[in-house]
Amino acid sequence: MAFATRFLSRSTRQVYTGQMILQPEQTISARSFAKAAGSAPPALKGDEMLKGIFLEVKKKYETALGILRKEKITLDPEDPAAVSEYARVMKTVREKADLFSESQRIKYTIESRTQGIPDARSYLLALKEIRIKRGLTDELGAEAMMVDALDKVEQELKKPLMRDDKKGMALLMTEFDKINQKLGIRREDLPKYEEQLELKIAKAQLEELKKDALEAMDTQKKREEFKDEAMPDVKSLDIRNFI
């Protein structure tokens, strides 16, 4: 399976192959969403619940702004040092504000949308739907490899593979491990792949920020009072002055 964003390296995309086919009892419940969006105690209702959610989101927002007001961000996506520093800042924001990383969002989406699916084939089809809806790519054809592995296991079992079939799932995981080995993926390297993912995302976000800044300066330059002024180099802009 090739689950990650369009910025993922080949290794990061494929490492989920042997990670995400879980038995139903192993999935995370909907309470995980509280980390990203805030939650209120179950006893609260109506306005009190909405107030609790609002205050939680407000707290996360203020925490994030507080960090961004202190950190210098250089809008230079072509400079590895600037990209690395931006990634560090955004990681600090996520940790302090208790927000999901991209890999955590992908993992949560898979877990929440596939919880309760009883058989492995429907699970794989659901994963494909998630990938397509998120605009993700499967450049190495890992989905087809996974389906082939499932076909092999079901032929051996002579029946559809259910996710609560421990013996059958163990056979499937063995086949997935073979896929990972073929692709040169090791589970213990997952943290490294996630770090590579965050750097790719950081660069893409810096590119968007730079584009927005250039468009804003171009619009400003067209105003009569600024037509004779030279626009600054976007790299010299200090975002802290605009927060």
Side-chain angles (χ1 to χ4, degrees):
M1 168 185 52
F3 270 89
T5 70
R6 64 179 65 87
F7 311 115
L8 276 170
S9 66
R10 290 170 52 158
S11 295
T12 310
R13 284 196 300 266
Q14 300 306 324
V15 77
Y16 288 96
T17 299
Q19 297 287 330
M20 299 309 301
I21 294 291
L22 304 177
Q23 295 181 13
E25 65 268 21
Q26 292 175 297
T27 57
I28 297 177
S29 70
R31 66 177 179 274
S32 301
F33 186 71
K35 179 169 181 145
S39 62
L44 298 181
K45 296 182 179 180
D47 290 344
E48 290 183 55
M49 181 177 292
L50 291 175
K51 180 179 179 181
I53 294 173
F54 172 79
L55 291 176
E56 182 67 16
V57 172
K58 180 173 180 287
K59 179 181 177 182
K60 294 176 184 292
Y61 177 76
E62 291 175 343
T63 298
L65 279 185
I67 295 170
L68 294 175
R69 288 191 181 104
K70 298 176 182 178
E71 300 283 357
K72 176 70 169 66
I73 294 174
T74 302
L75 299 182
D76 187 2
E78 302 308 317
D79 180 4
V83 172
S84 180
E85 178 63 11
Y86 178 78
R88 183 194 66 79
V89 172
M90 298 314 295
K91 181 178 181 180
T92 300
V93 168
R94 290 194 302 271
E95 291 176 346
K96 298 295 184 181
D98 199 25
L99 301 172
F100 279 157
S101 67
E102 181 64 16
S103 58
Q104 288 172 327
R105 280 196 293 270
I106 293 170
K107 185 173 184 288
Y108 172 76
T109 299
I110 292 173
E111 289 170 342
S112 62
R113 295 188 185 182
T114 60
Q115 188 172 18
I117 293 179
D119 65 286
R121 190 170 298 276
S122 296
Y123 186 96
L124 292 183
L125 290 174
L127 296 184
K128 183 176 181 178
E129 284 184 22
I130 293 170
R131 176 182 64 76
I132 293 173
K133 288 181 179 179
R134 290 179 66 96
L136 309 179
T137 59
D138 180 18
E139 296 175 1
L140 298 184
E143 284 177 348
M145 296 170 72
M146 293 172 66
V147 172
D148 288 344
L150 176 59
D151 288 342
K152 178 180 178 180
V153 170
E154 289 189 336
Q155 287 175 8
E156 183 176 339
L157 295 175
K158 295 182 172 55
K159 62 179 181 179
L161 176 59
M162 307 304 289
R163 293 171 67 202
D164 61 359
D165 180 346
K166 293 183 179 180
K167 179 182 177 181
M169 290 301 294
L171 292 174
L172 185 61
M173 291 302 297
T174 297
E175 294 300 319
F176 283 179
D177 285 340
K178 292 177 183 178
I179 294 174
N180 280 337
Q181 185 176 9
K182 180 179 180 180
L183 296 172
I185 306 303
R186 300 189 308 167
R187 295 184 186 183
E188 56 266 33
D189 288 338
L190 183 57
K192 180 181 68 176
Y193 301 144
E194 291 180 344
E195 182 180 351
Q196 293 172 353
L197 167 61
E198 297 303 333
L199 286 174
K200 290 177 183 292
I201 292 173
K203 181 174 182 178
Q205 290 178 345
L206 276 182
E207 288 172 346
E208 286 297 314
L209 287 172
K210 180 180 178 180
K211 178 182 176 182
D212 290 344
L214 289 172
E215 289 178 353
M217 287 193 293
D218 185 60
T219 299
Q220 194 83 337
K221 188 174 177 61
K222 293 176 181 177
R223 296 175 59 179
E224 184 68 25
E225 61 267 38
F226 295 111
K227 67 177 183 178
D228 295 326
E229 293 191 20
M231 291 293 104
D233 184 346
V234 68
K235 298 176 187 178
S236 68
L237 297 177
D238 191 338
I239 294 179
R240 293 173 294 185
N241 295 329
F242 305 97
I243 296 179

